[in-house]
Each structure stands twice: as C-alpha cells, then as structure tokens.
Amino acid sequence: MKPIQVGLLGIGVVGTGTFNVLRRNQSEIERRAGRGIEITMVADLDVARARASVGPDITVVSDARAVIANPDIDIVIELIGGYGIAKTLVLEAIAAGKHVVTANKALLAVHGTEIFAAASAKGVMVAFEAAVAGGIPIIKALREGLTANRIDWIAGIINGTTNFILSEMRSKGLDFEVVLKEAQRLGYAEADPTFDIEGVDAAHKATIMSAIAFGIPVQFDKAYVEGITKLSSQDIKYAEQLGYRIKLLGIAKRRPEGIELRVHPSLVPSKRLIANVEGAMNAVMVQGDAVGTTLYYGKGAGSEPTASAVIADLVDITRLHTADAAQRVPHLAFQPDAMSDLPILPMADVVTSYYLRLRVADQTGVLAKVTGILADAEISIDAVLQREADEVGGADANQTDLIILSHDCAEARMDVALARMQALTTVLQPIVRIRKEELA
Ligand code: HSE
C-alpha cells in the first residue's frame, strides 16, 4: 500500500526529531502501523534551515497553506506553537479534510472546544499526545489504558524548566533568580521563560488532562495558576526539615461539587516517588478507583522524546483513519454528547492543607495568638516548627520564623485566618503560604 503522506508545519527541534526518528525506525514503524508513514512536505519560514534538516528529497516551502492545499497530504503535523497563526492553520487543515497532529498545548487548552468540534464535524482526528508531558504517553494512558476507571485525581510535574529550577534551588541552596539564569544558559529555560515560571505552561497541560480525565470541556480560563517566582530557598529548606519537597504541581481533582483545577507550588512528602523526580524530568500521578495510584515518568520535552509522542499519533491515525469516525477513540476520551457540566471550582472552595511561614517578633504570647486565630477558623494544626531566634534573626536576634503545617481546610477559611494573622503587630513580614498535597 502507498505510504501515508504527512506534511509538517514548522521544523524546529521537535520537527527535526520527528523527521529523524521516522526515518531511523521506518521499518519498525511500518510493521506496527501496517503501512509506511512518510513526511513528504515541510513548511517553514526558514526554508534554508528546513532544507538542511530534511535533505534534498523532500518538498520544502515557506507557505504552510501550500501543505494544507496539497491533495496528496493525509496528515498535517502542526509544530508552530502559540494561539495565533497555528490556530488558523489547524482549522484550515481540518476544513481541508486533513487529520492533524499537534504538540500545541496552549492552542488546545484555550481553543480545544472549537478545534475538536470542527474536527468531529469534518470526521477527522486531532491527536495531541505530545502536548502533555512530552514523551510520556499520558494522553494514551488516561484516554485508553485507564478507561475502566473513575479518575479521582491527577497530580503532575508537567513543566521540566520549573522542576529543574526547584531541584537546583534545593540541592544547592540557591535563590530562584540565580538558578533561572543557569537554566537559560543550559537551554532549559526560554529567553522569555514567563509561561514556564509563572505556571501557564503547566496549567495548559493540566487543563487538557482535566478534560480527558473527567469528560469536561477544556477550560483554561478557569484554572488557578501560580508559578514559582516567589519561592525562597529558605522555604524549600524548612519544608525539607519537615519531611517535604516543594514541586510545581498541576492538579485536577474530582469533588462532588465540581473539579479543582490548579497549578501552584506544593509541598509533597519526600517519601513519595514523585517528590524524587528531579531535574527537567516530568511525572504524572493518576488515581483511579479501580487501578489505585499510578505514576508515569519520563522526559517532558526535547527533540526525540517529543517526536516519540508525535509519531505515536501518526501511527494511531494511520491505523484508524479508514475506521468509521464514530468508532474512533473520542478526542477527549468521552463521547462528545456525554460530556459533563461539572463546574471548575473557584479557588476559595478548594480544600487542601498548608505550609505557613510567619516572621514574628520573638515575644511571649505570639504563638498563642497565631494558633488562637487558626482555632477560631476551625483550622487544625498538623505540625509546628520554630527556629531559634539567633538562627534566623542574625544581628536582629529578636525575630524568629514560625512554620505551621495545617490539616485540610477550605481556602476561603485559610484566607480569613491569614488576614487576621497578618494584621498582628508581632507578624513582621508578609506571611508565606504554600499549599501541601499528601498524594496518598
Ligand atoms: N517548556 C516546557 C517545559 C516544555 O519546560 O517542560 C514543553 O512543554
């Protein structure tokens, strides 16, 4: 049978990896797919660079629309990124009857509903394994491998840049700004790292996973997003003394009233496997009612790890494109007419436990006042750690750090207690609040 023909839009790091792996493993992939898969056309604004990547036998153009208009192309891979031209091109490819493979989490988290509806109407597939956690087949696991389960929660380290930064801060005791510069020097962090360090990239991925896990629409605008820019190495050190590591987690959790969808730094017990995921690696925990807790680990970015996911999608489409569209795996795991309207909960309704650090005057009664406020708010204390004043106060040795771990409570209740604690004259600096997840 004639090989399935693929057009590639954007040949940077991942595109080159896809081209190379597809060539290198050509016969293995064909034996699996039942048919050859060939990239026959590439569009990139930098035609010379694209030509250098793919050699003389492939058609290289600067106009992506020439790929979409080519009737011989069966599948379009979109590796441009962002919400702009990538969205237009994906919708045009769908309208032209092409199947689409994309690694674009931003696009799907924000415009997924529109894109999947257009694809369903046209009877084409939009596959996006590479959009979440790079080479880890987490979309496949959630959508197919765990299909028997009622998923209770997902918690993932789904941004390698921030995990690298947090690992370095912990192991070397360095501050955020110093490690960020090092990450940029090593090429882990982009020149503009905003989406990574502010948690936006992780929230895009968590949003996509929440939709697949719970059968709800993608709703990035309702996700709570907090990055790692305000974390101090001091809090990482105190957390460690209490038996925790701090990770940027993307969390999607089912509650009877709705879904928690949030990205923020979290204390995780050091004994959990996921707490020991270091450097730029990714890991996703999924709790299902039948299977229990599962953990998926691997490279969340990079040329060939991401290509591994892109090509898995190419193989899936090659196997399934002749199947009746109604028999294919639904884009978001659940049948489009069986989606749930369970709301995304506001942050005030989220229930979790907390790490609090208060810089306080080392005076009689301070601890009593603070714990009294927590008791008034019916917030139970799990652990308290107080440093000796001369350890933290330096020359000004009449100050100390008071660290409190709470049991679970609603965020709104904690907000009220925090405002009251902050108003005490003996609380000398803004209180640090970091959420804590036991992931048991
Ligand atoms: N910037 C992402 C990360 C990789 O640092 O994990 C692509 O999703």
Side-chain angles (χ1 to χ4, degrees):
M1 196 189 297
K2 173 171 154 285
I4 201 152
Q5 298 204 19
V6 180
L8 179 55
L9 311 185
I11 182 153
V13 172
V14 177
T16 305
T18 303
F19 186 80
N20 291 340
V21 174
L22 211 43
R23 278 241 160 133
R24 190 171 73 231
N25 296 341
Q26 195 173 19
S27 76
E28 288 273 297
I29 291 167
E30 180 172 346
R31 284 168 57 212
R32 290 189 171 114
R35 186 174 170 187
I37 300 174
E38 283 179 4
I39 294 176
T40 55
M41 195 169 181
V42 172
D44 198 290
L45 291 176
D46 189 340
V47 172
R49 188 193 59 177
R51 170 66 65 211
S53 297
V54 300
D57 303 332
I58 310 292
T59 306
V60 178
V61 293
S62 61
D63 179 9
R65 291 195 166 94
V67 176
I68 293 169
N70 183 342
D72 294 331
I73 297 289
D74 305 294
I75 306 173
V76 169
I77 306 178
E78 182 273 307
L79 296 176
I80 297 167
Y83 321 100
I85 186 68
K87 180 187 175 198
T88 309
L89 293 172
V90 164
L91 288 171
E92 286 182 12
I94 291 169
K98 313 292 186 196
H99 301 287
V100 173
V101 174
T102 179
N104 193 336
K105 55 255 166 189
L107 177 63
L108 296 180
V110 177
H111 299 292
T113 301
E114 181 184 351
I115 288 166
F116 296 133
S120 296
K122 196 73 189 174
V124 297
M125 289 173 269
V126 174
F128 51 94
E129 184 63 70
V132 181
I136 305 173
I138 188 65
I139 301 297
K140 192 84 166 176
L142 280 170
R143 204 162 57 171
E144 298 178 51
L146 298 176
T147 200
N149 289 264
R150 188 174 194 275
I151 307 280
D152 298 318
W153 53 260
I154 298 172
I157 295 171
I158 44 182
N159 182 270
T161 306
T162 45
N163 202 51
F164 172 81
I165 293 172
L166 292 177
S167 299
E168 291 287 291
M169 286 174 73
R170 186 185 71 79
S171 62
K172 298 183 179 159
L174 296 171
D175 284 329
F176 170 78
E177 294 295 342
V178 175
V179 182
L180 174 61
K181 286 205 176 70
E182 175 70 355
Q184 283 172 314
R185 194 182 64 74
L186 291 170
Y188 286 125
E190 308 279 342
D192 178 1
T194 313
F195 266 28
D196 290 322
I197 61 179
E198 296 295 357
V200 178
D201 176 74
H204 286 146
K205 296 165 182 169
T207 298
I208 294 170
M209 290 197 289
S210 73
I212 294 174
F214 307 122
I216 57 172
V218 282
Q219 297 165 78
F220 173 71
D221 57 328
K222 304 218 176 85
Y224 174 80
V225 189
E226 181 184 318
I228 63 166
T229 53
K230 296 190 179 67
L231 272 183
S232 76
S233 52
Q234 192 177 29
D235 289 309
I236 293 174
K237 194 177 77 189
Y238 287 148
E240 189 144 45
Q241 289 169 7
L242 288 157
Y244 292 85
R245 290 199 181 164
I246 299 181
K247 295 291 181 188
L248 183 72
L249 291 186
I251 296 170
K253 186 188 269 183
R254 185 201 296 267
R255 298 240 314 274
E257 319 85 301
I259 303 293
E260 295 182 4
L261 176 56
R262 49 195 170 97
V263 170
H264 50 71
S266 306
L267 270 73
V268 179
S270 306
K271 62 188 176 196
R272 300 266 177 270
L273 279 175
I274 196 167
N276 295 279
V277 171
E278 297 286 27
M281 301 302 281
N282 281 200
V284 183
M285 283 179 88
V286 182
Q287 165 83 25
D289 68 338
V291 73
T293 307
T294 57
L295 177 67
Y296 309 85
Y297 169 85
K299 290 187 177 150
S303 178
E304 294 204 354
T306 312
S308 167
V310 169
I311 296 169
D313 282 343
L314 293 177
V315 171
D316 259 0
I317 292 174
T318 303
R319 286 170 176 155
L320 291 172
H321 78 293
T322 51
D324 178 352
Q327 305 308 320
R328 295 179 191 144
V329 181
H331 290 114
L332 293 178
F334 292 73
Q335 299 296 338
D337 60 357
M339 298 295 276
S340 160
D341 58 3
L342 211 52
I344 306 286
L345 296 170
M347 206 51 196
D349 291 347
V350 159
V351 175
T352 188
S353 53
Y354 296 86
Y355 162 102
L356 307 176
R357 176 167 61 84
L358 297 84
R359 176 59 62 93
V360 295
D362 190 16
Q363 288 174 15
T364 312
V366 174
L367 182 60
K369 277 191 188 136
V370 168
T371 54
I373 289 171
L374 289 170
D376 287 349
E378 295 179 38
I379 296 170
S380 171
I381 294 170
D382 185 26
V384 177
L385 176 72
Q386 185 176 322
R387 310 312 303 165
E388 287 178 57
D390 56 357
E391 190 183 319
V392 290
D396 196 7
N398 55 357
Q399 301 180 6
T400 189
D401 274 338
L402 179 59
I403 295 114
I404 298 173
L405 299 185
S406 82
H407 285 296
D408 278 355
C409 72
E411 179 112 347
R413 198 134 35 95
M414 181 54 86
D415 286 344
V416 170
L418 278 173
R420 284 190 64 201
M421 287 189 262
Q422 193 68 71
L424 294 172
T425 52
T426 44
V427 173
L428 306 173
Q429 291 178 8
I431 300 169
V432 173
R433 171 248 301 265
I434 307 174
R435 297 170 189 89
K436 176 165 86 66
E437 304 295 328
E438 289 299 322
L439 303 179

